[in-house]
Amino acid sequence: MNTIYALMDALLPFEWLHYTFMKNALLAILLITPLFGMLGTMAVDNKMAFFSDALGHSALTGIAIGVVLGVGSQMVSMLVFGILWAVLITFVKHNSKMSADTIISVFSSTSIALGLVILARGGAFAKYSSYLVGDVLSVTAGDLAGLLVTLLVTAVAWGMLFNPLLLTSVNAPLAQSRGVRAKLTEYAFTVIVAVAVMMSIRWVGVMLINSLLILPAAASRNVARNAAWYMRLSVLIALCCGVAGLVLSYYLNTSAGAAIVLCAAAVYFVTLPLRRK
Amino acid sequence: MNTVQSCPHKVPGTEGAPCRLCRIEVDNLSVTLGGQTLLRDVSLHIHCGELTALIGTNGAGKTTLLRALLGQVEYKGTVRHLTADGRPAADIRTGYVPQQLEFDRSSPVTIMDFLACSLSRRAVFLGVGKKTRERAMTALARTHCEKLADRPLGALSGGELQRVLLALALTPQPDLLILDEPVSGVDQNGLETFYQTVDELKHRNHMAILLVSHDLDVVERYADRVVLMQGGVIKQGSPEVVFDSPEFEQVFYTRGGRA
């Protein structure tokens, strides 16, 4: 880790990078933003913006269950709960005649309320309120390792899932006739999104996590002319906004997560006129 | 129903080699979904080198039958794929052209991306490889839409989109081609071009084609066999036989004119 810090000092001799917590934050952002830029493309194509929002909210219940069970690491309970919740929403969506947005809304509000009820017992909620907005400046070297593994595993899985997901987003029966296991693909994707959300929720926050997933992909759509550039630009926009947001938050002394999302929103609105009619 | 014992057809240009798939025998196929019977006791034969058309009103079970044949819904009964000498045909390929697609037309996905997704394992975001591109162009050439390769999928007209979907369904060459109302909402020109291409395929490549259509004029002109459905098969045979039957009259005329 010290080698990396030394390298950063040598290559990026900026004032804002002087502190170790800022170095960690920058590294975290370099790991989190490409992850979300990548996953966002298919979340948008498969009309899952609302779904990922619900997943972000479910983190609150995950934390709460961790607290109740006394699971040493909240991470484990959040991950387990997030994956189960994602699979459950998808299962109910497939096996119910109700419209998807109603089902997702039901699940989303249930998990927020459940999380709040448990965490607010005895007036202890203030302790956990940092999960709502996130704090990327509190990332430790150990957390970075977890994020790195998540990014690497997701990138490999993405290489296998991208084509089937794209095909399914156009037409599921057609995808199935081409040998794609549409349902399995969808479940795999929801699980990956759940893991990505849970791994990053502490740094990005329940309220902002979904914007990080949707905004870069939405902005990329404004300019990209094919699938390859859609993906590349989405990752690039996420990365640039991540770094810019972090620097801005340092000088403006404000929330990094919110600054990042604002940058992405700015890119979205600036590129909006470039949309092909 | 007569069971044809040997395939009378030979694939043109292959010096009399028998086709891989000679016929599909569907026996007593029923589909029940959520306690509701969508199809009851469907029995029919689909032959290579023939266009079999499924007709009937909305909700008659035509699309359900297609989805059963595609293995996308559970069914009771048997579906057997047989070779010319009556043995089970191994891993037959099915090409499928769905009904007019409803998808996100603002997605920056080109025709090339779309084809590459199903023709290659390499993730499309890495770029489309040269070989895959060549294969895709060959596929598009079959339905005369090479020029569309780099257009966004969302920018195509209904007719163009169906030709692209047909190109995909034909790659790799299928033994059975399933067309589910492939040209609903397509203008007259697009419709003619589409069916002429399909007719050519039938003659030149000798594949079995199963078509669902509401356009009875098209069915009359292009189909070799017609299957009239209403929750099951109520009449089947040549177009003349089915179109002149009392069952046909009852389904299509008692509701005020041809559907």
Side-chain angles (χ1 to χ4, degrees), chain A residues 38 44-45 47 97 155 158-160 162-164 166-167 169-178 220-221 224-232 275-276, chain B residues 67 70 72 94 96 98-99 101-104 106-110 113-114 116-127 152-153 165 168-169 171-172:
Chain A
M38 202 158 72
V44 172
D45 269 26
K47 301 194 180 66
K97 280 181 181 159
W158 202 232
M160 297 188 286
F162 189 82
N163 289 4
L166 187 59
L167 212 53
S169 78
V170 175
N171 187 278
L174 176 68
Q176 280 173 291
S177 84
R178 308 293 305 185
S220 171
R221 268 175 167 232
R225 292 286 181 261
N226 62 40
W229 280 105
Y230 178 29
M231 187 45 203
R232 290 170 196 159
R275 256 202 110 82
R276 193 202 313 248
Chain B
R67 299 203 64 188
L70 284 165
Q72 294 179 0
T94 307
Y96 170 59
Q99 287 181 37
L101 301 184
E102 276 177 39
F103 62 97
D104 185 353
S106 61
S107 179
V109 172
T110 64
D113 293 331
F114 175 65
C117 265
S118 39
L119 296 179
S120 162
R121 281 182 172 276
R122 177 168 133 165
V124 166
F125 63 78
L126 297 172
L153 197 59
L165 291 173
L168 179 61
T171 314

Side-chain angles (χ1 to χ4, degrees), chain B residues 228 234-235 239-250:
Chain B
L228 176 61
I234 56 172
K235 185 79 191 174
E240 299 79 40
V241 168
V242 173
F243 280 49
D244 290 334
S245 67
E247 289 87 351
F248 180 88
E249 183 109 347
Q250 189 224 330

Side-chain angles (χ1 to χ4, degrees), chain B:
Chain B
M1 197 188 316
N2 296 326
T3 308
V4 184
Q5 286 307 322
S6 64
C7 182
H9 310 292
K10 301 287 180 205
V11 183
T14 56
E15 294 178 4
C19 42
R20 282 158 39 88
L21 171 76
C22 177
R23 64 185 185 275
I24 300 169
E25 296 187 2
V26 179
D27 279 313
N28 295 316
L29 183 144
S30 300
V31 176
T32 310
L33 215 67
Q36 214 182 348
T37 304
L38 300 177
L39 274 183
R40 193 188 299 275
D41 293 333
V42 171
S43 297
L44 56 95
H45 290 187
I46 299 160
H47 272 276
C48 59
E50 281 185 9
L51 193 153
T52 306
L54 301 179
I55 59 171
T57 51
N58 288 327
K62 306 181 296 285
T63 297
T64 306
L65 178 57
L66 294 192
R67 299 203 64 188
L69 292 177
L70 284 165
Q72 294 179 0
V73 291
E74 281 181 41
Y75 58 83
K76 285 201 198 101
T78 55
V79 175
R80 293 190 299 163
H81 301 106
L82 301 174
T83 59
D85 45 11
R87 283 179 309 183
D91 45 65
I92 67 145
R93 283 190 291 262
T94 307
Y96 170 59
V97 178
Q99 287 181 37
Q100 199 76 342
L101 301 184
E102 276 177 39
F103 62 97
D104 185 353
R105 289 187 171 262
S106 61
S107 179
V109 172
T110 64
I111 308 305
M112 186 52 69
D113 293 331
F114 175 65
L115 292 185
C117 265
S118 39
L119 296 179
S120 162
R121 281 182 172 276
R122 177 168 133 165
V124 166
F125 63 78
L126 297 172
V128 178
K130 207 178 155 202
K131 269 192 184 160
T132 308
R133 197 179 164 87
E134 275 168 18
R135 265 191 89 195
M137 289 311 280
T138 314
L140 290 172
R142 289 190 73 175
T143 55
H144 315 292
C145 40
E146 311 93 302
K147 282 183 191 153
L148 304 175
D150 294 307
R151 297 257 305 275
L153 197 59
L156 299 191
S157 72
E160 288 170 334
L161 187 58
Q162 293 313 107
R163 290 213 320 272
V164 167
L165 291 173
L166 181 61
L168 179 61
L170 295 175
T171 314
Q173 174 95 353
D175 305 297
L176 169 66
L177 179 63
I178 293 184
L179 310 168
D180 188 1
E181 289 185 57
V183 283
S184 55
V186 171
D187 61 43
Q188 196 61 31
N189 269 341
L191 185 138
E192 286 299 329
T193 320
F194 186 87
Y195 281 109
Q196 272 158 20
T197 314
V198 169
D199 207 46
E200 266 172 49
L201 286 167
K202 186 183 81 180
H203 291 299
R204 200 184 314 144
N205 302 97
H206 198 66
M207 55 182 80
I209 301 174
L210 187 60
L211 164 77
V212 165
S213 181
H214 280 298
D215 189 332
L216 296 178
D217 292 328
V218 163
V219 170
E220 200 160 20
R221 274 169 49 207
Y222 291 100
D224 300 291
R225 290 171 54 76
V226 176
V227 178
L228 176 61
M229 295 185 66
Q230 201 172 51
V233 175
I234 56 172
K235 185 79 191 174
Q236 56 180 319
S238 67
E240 299 79 40
V241 168
V242 173
F243 280 49
D244 290 334
S245 67
E247 289 87 351
F248 180 88
E249 183 109 347
Q250 189 224 330
V251 168
F252 288 106
Y253 286 102
T254 50
R255 296 194 186 178
R258 276 191 172 188

